[in-house]
């Protein structure tokens, strides 16, 4: 006979992964403030292979509107600039020979609304993942009845899965609300 935990643990793990993924996705959405995480997706050509920008340079945020990139090798300036220009950041790097600076422009109202929509879509995607994990767990519990699990135990399991589902949906809503506030704050 199977235990409720056999279905709850994988569901909780999937839900946790959905929330973690959402946090990561929202961190990459630029909200008008300088954030080194927006450079995470940029790859730089380094001795014949593509490596993350953070592997060839020091990335810092000296103030709210600037990201400073200090390459460890002088030869990397051109490669880093090329990678930033070719990325979808939409920011032109400024190079003074020692540091590459990215000035984050203030967001327009239209751009803010677009970013909120993008964030909402990411949050919705996470909610779908959480709901799918709930559905899989409940289906597993229903199959367990056929294998001899008592119905009252199955109902308790369903209630526990629903409680888990509600908890993670609340986390997703909180993450989205925080990101929305960050984007809309001028």
């Amino acid at each position: 006979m199977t235990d409720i935990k056999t279905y709850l643990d994988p569901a909780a793990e999937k839900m946790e992964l959905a929330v973690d993924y959402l946090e990561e996705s929202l961190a990459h959405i630029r909200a008008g403030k300088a954030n080194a995480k927006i450079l995470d997706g940029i790859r730089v050509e380094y001795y014949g292979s593509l490596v993350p920008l953070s592997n060839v340079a020091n990335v810092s945020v000296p103030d709210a509107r600037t990201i400073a990139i200090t390459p460890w090798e002088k030869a990397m300036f051109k490669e880093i600039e090329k990678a930033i220009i070719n990325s979808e950041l939409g920011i032109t790097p400024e190079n003074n020979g020692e540091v590459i600076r990215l000035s984050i422009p203030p967001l327009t109202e239209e751009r803010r609304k677009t970013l909120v929509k993008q964030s909402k879509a990411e949050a919705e995607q996470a909610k779908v993942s959480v709901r799918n994990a709930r559905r899989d767990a409940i289906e597993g519990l229903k199959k367990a009845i056929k294998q001899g699990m008592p119905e009252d135990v199955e109902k308790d399991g369903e209630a526990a899965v629903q409680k888990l589902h509600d908890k993670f949906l609340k986390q997703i809503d909180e993450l989205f609300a925080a990101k929305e506030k960050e984007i809309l704050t001028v």
Side-chain angles (χ1 to χ4, degrees):
M1 185 158 94
T2 53
D3 187 18
I4 296 177
K5 287 186 92 37
T6 334
Y7 303 100
L8 278 181
D9 291 345
E13 194 176 317
K14 286 178 187 172
M15 292 177 187
E16 187 70 47
L17 286 172
V19 170
D20 291 347
Y21 182 78
L22 176 65
E23 282 179 340
E24 189 66 28
S25 300
L26 292 180
H28 289 284
I29 295 176
R30 182 162 69 91
K33 292 186 190 78
N35 180 354
K37 277 200 178 259
I38 65 171
L39 300 175
D40 284 355
I42 296 180
R43 301 267 183 248
V44 180
E45 177 88 21
Y46 185 64
Y47 292 109
S49 62
L50 290 175
V51 296
L53 178 63
S54 59
N55 288 10
V56 296
N58 182 34
V59 179
S60 61
V61 182
D63 61 65
R65 293 258 178 243
T66 312
I67 297 175
I69 304 164
T70 312
W72 294 323
E73 297 176 26
K74 292 275 186 209
M76 292 309 297
F77 275 99
K78 290 265 186 273
E79 291 296 330
I80 292 172
E81 284 184 321
K82 189 168 78 172
I84 291 171
I85 290 169
N86 293 338
S87 74
E88 55 213 39
L89 272 183
I91 301 172
T92 308
E94 302 162 18
N95 175 357
N96 69 3
E98 290 182 23
V99 177
I100 297 171
R101 292 193 195 295
L102 300 178
S103 296
I104 310 294
L107 296 172
T108 63
E109 189 62 32
E110 186 179 314
R111 181 73 177 134
R112 287 179 196 279
K113 287 179 182 173
T114 307
L115 291 175
V116 168
K117 279 183 186 172
Q118 184 182 348
S119 300
K120 187 163 185 68
E122 293 286 351
E124 206 49 53
Q125 193 66 41
K127 285 181 178 181
V128 168
S129 297
V130 168
R131 289 181 190 122
N132 287 342
R134 175 188 61 179
R135 183 198 62 219
D136 293 346
I138 289 175
E139 282 175 3
L141 285 166
K142 288 192 187 302
K143 286 179 184 168
I145 288 179
K146 293 177 182 145
Q147 297 166 357
M149 180 186 277
E151 272 189 42
D152 59 334
V153 173
E154 185 266 344
K155 289 292 179 201
D156 291 345
E158 276 188 37
V161 169
Q162 186 61 42
K163 214 179 223 179
L164 214 58
H165 166 267
D166 295 344
K167 179 183 117 183
F168 281 103
L169 280 190
K170 186 172 184 246
Q171 280 183 1
I172 289 170
D173 287 337
E174 287 168 358
L175 284 171
F176 170 67
K179 188 64 176 185
E180 183 180 35
K181 184 179 179 209
E182 179 187 340
I183 291 171
L184 295 177
T185 302
V186 181

